[in-house]
Amino acid sequence: MTAVALRKITTSPPHPAAVVLGPKADAAKARFETGYRRVRAPEWLMSVIACVMGLAAFVAVWAVIAKFGGRIPDPLTVGAAAAKIFADPFYSKGPNDQGIGWNVLMSLQRVGIGFGLAALVGIPLGFIVGRFRFASGMAAPIIAMLKPVSPLAWLPIGLLVFKAANPAAIYVIFVCSLWPMIVNTAVGVRQIPQDYLNVARVLNLSEWKVFTKILFPAVLPYMITGVRLSIGVAWLVIVAAEMLTGGVGIGFWVWDEWNNLKVEHIIIAIFTIGIVGLLLEQALVLLAKRFSYN
């Protein structure tokens, strides 16, 4: 009885409207809750909205700067020029007058050759540096000294050695792509638990077996991270190198358009360089996800 009395005392009285309306109040409440339930937007939709709003804000700021900033072309002018350029991106009217498509492909070819050579050299060196303490001690001062050097500082050496602009640009790509691959691969090798290597030593596994069964699967995510960093640096450097060496390439195209005072074409080239770099980065991100092991 005491418990029942306490329960009656602590229970709050019903709302006067509920007493008057009775069952109608409960029905109205259920109708209100079901009709006005908050629905959370999908994550992909929020990402798309944020991206669109960011681009819209960027274009708006650009338009304001173009209106009050003097000779910078506005977005509409750049868009009209882009429509003309990309209407025929692969025209060819001589060795120094080619469409933006050919220039981008030529730059990608140089990046591919230099980057591929750097991978062939840098990844094995990274395994050696990470696997053997003596090799790490030998390579550490060289990497520490040469890694901070600006990539364009290597261009005169390339011109001196190869006596031609195209191989000199490839040489610069090779040098600047080398260091991230060596460092990240070596770090990945050092992160392997020592117990794994001790078991391999007990089982008398050959160095090739250790590499294929233990080192390579464990180091692969680190190695792909180094590849991603290298491809970003390579695409960044080739533009500057081509401005100095000339010929066909997106960097030379930017410099040529500057000499012709076509600022809207320079802005188009900036966006093109950024989009191509983004595509390269995303392709390697997908590759990294494909070969990530836990």
Side-chain angles (χ1 to χ4, degrees):
M1 291 295 292
T2 306
V4 173
L6 288 173
R7 190 181 302 116
K8 288 182 179 179
I9 292 172
T10 55
T11 302
S12 60
H15 195 275
V19 175
V20 175
L21 296 176
K24 293 183 180 179
D26 296 333
K29 180 180 178 182
R31 203 162 44 243
F32 176 81
E33 290 179 350
T34 56
Y36 294 91
R37 183 181 300 168
R38 289 187 64 182
V39 179
R40 186 177 179 85
E43 198 68 30
W44 65 267
L45 181 60
M46 297 302 297
S47 299
V48 171
I49 293 175
C51 182
V52 172
M53 291 180 64
L55 291 175
F58 173 78
V59 173
V61 172
W62 176 12
V64 172
I65 293 175
K67 184 176 181 180
F68 300 102
R71 300 181 59 184
I72 299 178
D74 59 84
L76 294 177
T77 303
V78 174
K84 294 180 181 178
I85 288 175
F86 289 104
D88 187 14
F90 293 101
Y91 76 86
S92 181
K93 297 179 181 178
N96 294 324
D97 188 9
Q98 300 190 26
I100 191 172
W102 291 121
N103 286 276
V104 170
L105 290 179
M106 184 58 68
S107 296
L108 286 174
Q109 180 183 6
R110 293 190 181 104
V111 168
I113 296 173
F115 174 79
L117 293 174
L120 290 176
V121 175
I123 292 175
L125 279 179
F127 276 103
I128 295 172
V129 169
R131 182 77 174 91
F132 303 105
R133 189 184 299 267
F134 186 77
S136 176
M138 290 178 59
I142 300 174
I143 295 175
M145 180 175 59
L146 298 182
K147 185 182 175 184
V149 176
S150 172
L152 293 182
W154 296 96
L155 186 59
I157 305 299
L159 292 172
L160 177 66
V161 173
F162 298 103
K163 296 180 173 55
N166 191 53
I170 294 173
Y171 166 76
V172 172
I173 296 301
F174 167 79
V175 173
C176 71
S177 302
L178 197 62
W179 313 122
M181 294 189 195
I182 295 176
V183 172
N184 281 273
T185 304
V187 169
V189 173
R190 296 191 187 109
Q191 295 300 316
I192 297 175
Q194 187 62 35
D195 293 341
Y196 294 176
L197 301 177
N198 293 337
V199 171
R201 192 176 297 112
V202 170
L203 296 176
N204 291 323
L205 296 181
S206 65
E207 197 64 36
W208 176 252
K209 286 273 189 180
V210 172
F211 172 77
T212 56
K213 300 298 183 181
I214 299 176
L215 294 182
F216 187 76
V219 176
L220 192 57
Y222 295 90
M223 190 172 65
I224 294 179
T225 300
V227 169
R228 286 175 54 194
L229 294 174
S230 295
I231 197 69
V233 173
W235 185 243
L236 177 71
V237 169
I238 191 61
V239 176
E242 288 173 346
M243 286 183 180
L244 299 177
T245 58
V248 180
I250 189 65
F252 171 74
W253 194 80
V254 171
W255 192 251
D256 188 54
E257 296 306 310
W258 165 248
N259 290 330
N260 295 327
L261 297 179
K262 294 181 179 179
V263 183
E264 61 273 14
H265 291 185
I266 297 175
I267 296 177
I268 293 169
I270 291 173
F271 282 114
T272 303
I273 293 167
I275 291 172
V276 173
L278 177 63
L279 292 176
L280 292 174
E281 173 74 13
Q282 291 303 311
L284 290 173
V285 167
L286 293 176
L287 185 66
K289 290 180 179 179
R290 171 64 180 82
F291 291 104
S292 293
Y293 303 103
N294 295 322

